[in-house]
Amino acid sequence: MIKMQRGAAGIAAACLMAACAPSAGGLQMQPGTAPPIRVGQTVQGSLADTDPAGLERGPFDAYRFDATAGQQLVATMASDTFDTFLTVARLYGPVMDVVDSDDDGAGEGTNSRMRFTVPANGAYVLIAQSFTEEGRGAYTLSLSQAPVPTTGASQAITAGQPVTGQIADTDNVSDEDDAFYDAYTFTGRAGQRIAITLESEEFDTFLRVGRMEGGAFEELESDDDGAGGEGTNSMLRMTLEQDGQYVIRVSPLGEGTGAYTLRLEERAAARGPQPAQPLQAGVRAQGVLNEDDAVLEADNSYYDLWSYQGREGEALKIQMMSDDFDTYVAIGRMVNGEWEEVASMDDGGEGTNTLLEVTLPATGEYVIRANSFGAEETGDYTLLLETSRDR
């Protein structure tokens, strides 16, 4: 805590307990105290040119309230005339310690909403402000007790049987991002490949998969908008690493409530590496990475194999290009049935394409692994090998 601290709203702390007025020299304190607001109360206010303004934001009003440690509260600020910005801070006389702030957490338009847990007994202040310097006009400010979770118990989900649910303000709240969530459990086995899809027309979805460790949720994978890259739906594909019970958490990305559909599907087991296809120097080869391709155990990425007859001292340039995924190329030899890498590259080309340059150490057959950099990425690609034989 710092005296005259400027928090997320950029407001001088000393002005919060008094009516302040702007002047040529900055903020000037005037006698008076911040008006009170009680838990359960809604107040009407208006921001005008005569109100003080915080640095980098517009004018503000401050309202004082008392709270107790552990209290779960919700503060909401709404206006039809300007973009709102809301801050809650703890007061220690002239010292301010910002607890939380929000710009548009109300989920619609430019209104603000914060759900917060009171950290300690004492005096607090709500700062109702314009997000931009030019914001002026009427607003509504409310402070209320957060609803007690009543629908937070985990439910079982079975592969192949979609479930519908409802995110509501009576759900449990995530400690990580303060968002409502529903939880579903399923029993998985090591090596099992699954796909999970979360769809909603009422909120931006966020999907998490994890396990309970020591009574706490330990996240393994998460996704915001992986459902084909369209809209605000989520999808996860993953391979389970061990037997046991897994937890799926369904939540909005930030604020939001409404109906959703959740699907859990079991995917076919990954096939082993297919025979390498011959790669001809100077000829562009077209390939596709898909869910039927072999998977690297190290990172669950798909790959295809290509072969090339090389000579000792031969210099190769291998390019892999794709508009669908981040490419990765490795070249090596099969020795006693085991892959021995000679060289590999992620970048080197334009954007997320790959350019690998290597001088071959011996004469013989080489295997080129056309790979995605990320786990389970799919799509079309082009592979081009150029050799010093032609230079």
Side-chain angles (χ1 to χ4, degrees):
M1 294 177 296
I2 303 173
K3 197 166 184 177
M4 295 297 291
Q5 174 183 354
R6 298 191 186 274
I11 298 169
C15 289
L16 299 179
M17 293 304 297
C20 303
S23 73
L27 296 176
Q28 296 293 322
M29 291 185 58
Q30 301 294 331
T33 59
I37 185 170
R38 301 184 308 276
V39 175
Q41 183 181 10
T42 298
V43 299
Q44 306 293 327
S46 182
L47 295 181
D49 292 336
T50 54
D51 287 321
L55 295 178
E56 300 179 358
R57 300 204 192 282
F60 69 88
D61 289 337
Y63 297 82
R64 175 176 171 154
F65 66 97
D66 293 323
T68 57
Q71 203 171 359
Q72 304 247 330
L73 300 177
V74 176
T76 304
M77 182 183 181
S79 176
D80 293 330
T81 59
F82 63 88
D83 188 355
T84 64
F85 191 82
L86 189 57
T87 300
V88 61
R90 187 182 179 193
L91 295 175
Y92 304 83
V95 180
M96 178 182 80
D97 188 18
V98 173
V99 175
D100 202 357
S101 62
D102 180 75
D103 169 25
D104 54 8
E108 297 181 1
T110 57
N111 295 328
S112 305
R113 183 176 185 273
M114 286 186 300
R115 181 184 178 116
F116 61 96
T117 300
V118 176
N121 296 344
Y124 290 80
V125 66
L126 280 178
I127 307 162
Q129 189 174 24
S130 166
F131 183 75
T132 60
E133 293 182 358
E134 63 273 12
R136 305 289 188 275
Y139 65 85
T140 299
L141 179 68
S142 64
L143 181 65
S144 62
Q145 195 76 36
V148 177
T150 59
T151 56
S154 298
Q155 307 171 57
I157 186 172
T158 303
Q161 298 181 11
V163 297
T164 58
Q166 186 88 14
I167 293 294
D169 60 8
T170 54
D171 287 333
N172 276 335
V173 178
S174 170
D175 292 334
E176 294 85 0
D177 57 9
D178 205 32
F180 301 117
Y181 71 88
D182 287 343
Y184 295 84
T185 60
F186 68 95
T187 301
R189 61 184 184 277
Q192 184 179 10
R193 303 172 76 222
I194 62 170
I196 307 171
T197 305
L198 174 61
E199 299 174 339
S200 176
E201 296 181 352
E202 301 183 40
F203 60 87
D204 190 353
T205 63
F206 190 61
L207 187 59
R208 289 185 174 128
V209 180
R211 293 170 62 89
M212 299 303 293
E213 302 288 349
F217 177 74
E218 295 290 338
E219 181 181 298
L220 299 174
E221 299 281 351
S222 65
D223 179 74
D224 167 24
D225 55 7
E230 299 180 359
T232 57
N233 295 326
S234 304
M235 182 174 68
L236 274 175
R237 294 189 184 98
M238 61 185 299
T239 301
L240 304 183
E241 296 184 354
Q242 56 183 299
D243 296 343
Q245 189 175 76
Y246 290 80
V247 178
I248 302 171
R249 281 194 176 184
V250 172
S251 66
L253 184 65
E255 297 286 341
T257 57
Y260 63 83
T261 300
L262 179 68
R263 296 179 177 87
L264 170 66
E265 303 287 345
E266 182 170 7
R267 300 155 58 205
R271 66 181 183 178
Q274 299 301 296
Q277 308 172 65
L279 186 63
Q280 184 178 348
V283 178
R284 292 176 181 269
Q286 306 297 322
V288 180
L289 293 184
N290 56 49
E291 295 180 25
D292 294 327
D293 285 325
V295 177
L296 285 179
E297 292 183 3
D299 59 7
N300 286 324
S301 61
Y302 299 119
Y303 67 92
D304 288 337
L305 297 180
W306 300 80
S307 63
Y308 177 73
Q309 292 292 330
R311 298 176 183 174
E312 181 179 356
E314 184 178 357
L316 302 182
K317 289 176 62 177
I318 305 171
Q319 298 181 68
M320 184 177 180
M321 297 153 283
S322 176
D323 293 330
D324 297 328
F325 58 86
D326 190 354
T327 60
Y328 190 89
V329 174
I331 185 170
R333 306 189 69 183
M334 300 302 294
V335 179
N336 298 323
E338 296 292 329
W339 163 270
E340 286 192 2
E341 183 176 298
V342 174
S344 62
M345 175 62 70
D346 166 27
D347 297 317
E350 296 183 0
T352 58
N353 295 328
T354 301
L355 172 59
L356 171 62
E357 299 186 70
V358 59
T359 299
L360 302 182
T363 298
E365 183 179 70
Y366 287 82
V367 176
I368 297 165
R369 196 163 62 198
N371 196 198
S372 65
F373 183 76
E376 302 190 349
E377 295 182 343
T378 59
D380 299 331
Y381 67 87
T382 298
L383 199 62
L384 175 62
L385 181 148
E386 297 175 288
T387 172
S388 58
R389 297 187 201 179
D390 301 326
R391 298 174 194 168

